[in-house]
Amino acid sequence: VDEPATLDGIASSMLRLGALTGAAGAAEAAATYRAAIARLRDRYASRAEVRVFYQVWPQPLLTLNGRHLVSDVLALCGGRNVFADLDALVPPVSTEAVLAADPQVIVTTDDTIADPVALWRQWPRLRAVQAGTVYSLSSDLVTRASPRLAEGVEVTCRALDRAREVYRRRAPPR
């Protein structure tokens, strides 16, 4: 079992699996991945923080805590997981808890919820709904602990940058 919890852990896993399987290109692939992540860290290091609710599943309503790989992705992009402090890796949360957290951005993946905007539209006072910053990203890119996650980080960071632009054009958040 290998389940990296950080972006850096993916490169370490690549090296370990490469050594176990005798894959000659593992070191080069890990170095390429690390370089891509380093470039993204440099590019997004100074971005303003945005508060993010990451939705794993609609019923029961599930999210991820701060020890999950996706939280590391969000952090690189300047996002702060509003449920990072929960104990369980994949904790259930209530709709009321999401409403109380009032995230600036809601992120989910395309294999989870057909229309996340429609799902959350029933709570029009929710900051992310008001701003139109509810995003469905490619699960193939943002949830797989593989070298392709570098692409997923890029996609996630661009989504959070779109949200920052929305908030920059709007009145200051309440």
Side-chain angles (χ1 to χ4, degrees):
V1 174
D2 184 49
E3 191 171 337
T6 65
L7 290 165
D8 294 334
I10 292 173
S12 298
S13 292
M14 292 167 65
L15 293 172
R16 276 193 311 278
L17 291 171
L20 287 171
T21 62
E28 183 179 337
T32 300
Y33 168 82
R34 280 185 171 138
I37 295 300
R39 281 191 302 277
L40 291 165
R41 274 196 177 106
D42 288 344
R43 184 180 315 152
Y44 293 99
S46 63
R47 297 299 202 267
E49 182 181 270
V50 290
R51 298 175 65 253
V52 180
F53 167 57
Y54 187 88
Q55 183 175 359
V56 173
W57 199 250
Q59 208 49 270
L61 186 55
L62 299 174
T63 190
L64 301 170
N65 75 8
R67 294 185 318 274
H68 194 281
L69 176 62
V70 169
S71 286
D72 202 31
V73 171
L74 294 173
L76 183 147
C77 299
R80 183 168 57 85
N81 179 346
V82 297
F83 292 111
D85 294 334
L86 295 179
D87 290 331
L89 190 63
V90 184
V93 293
S94 66
T95 301
E96 291 79 8
V98 177
L99 295 172
D102 198 16
Q104 294 170 285
V105 178
I106 296 174
V107 174
T108 190
T109 57
D110 56 5
D111 66 345
T112 303
I113 301 163
D115 187 355
V117 173
L119 178 74
W120 288 103
R121 189 176 303 136
Q122 60 190 309
W123 292 282
R125 295 199 57 179
L126 194 60
R127 191 180 313 213
V129 172
Q130 288 177 1
T133 55
V134 178
Y135 302 114
S136 179
L137 306 179
S138 168
S139 65
D140 286 339
L141 294 178
V142 301
T143 63
R144 312 262 190 270
S146 74
R148 285 188 66 200
L149 188 57
E151 293 175 59
V153 171
E154 178 84 38
V155 165
T156 303
C157 290
R158 281 189 299 211
L160 296 188
D161 270 354
R162 286 193 306 274
R164 284 183 192 93
E165 181 61 28
V166 167
Y167 285 105
R168 187 171 56 235
R169 283 188 259 135
R170 293 170 54 101
R174 34 182 176 115

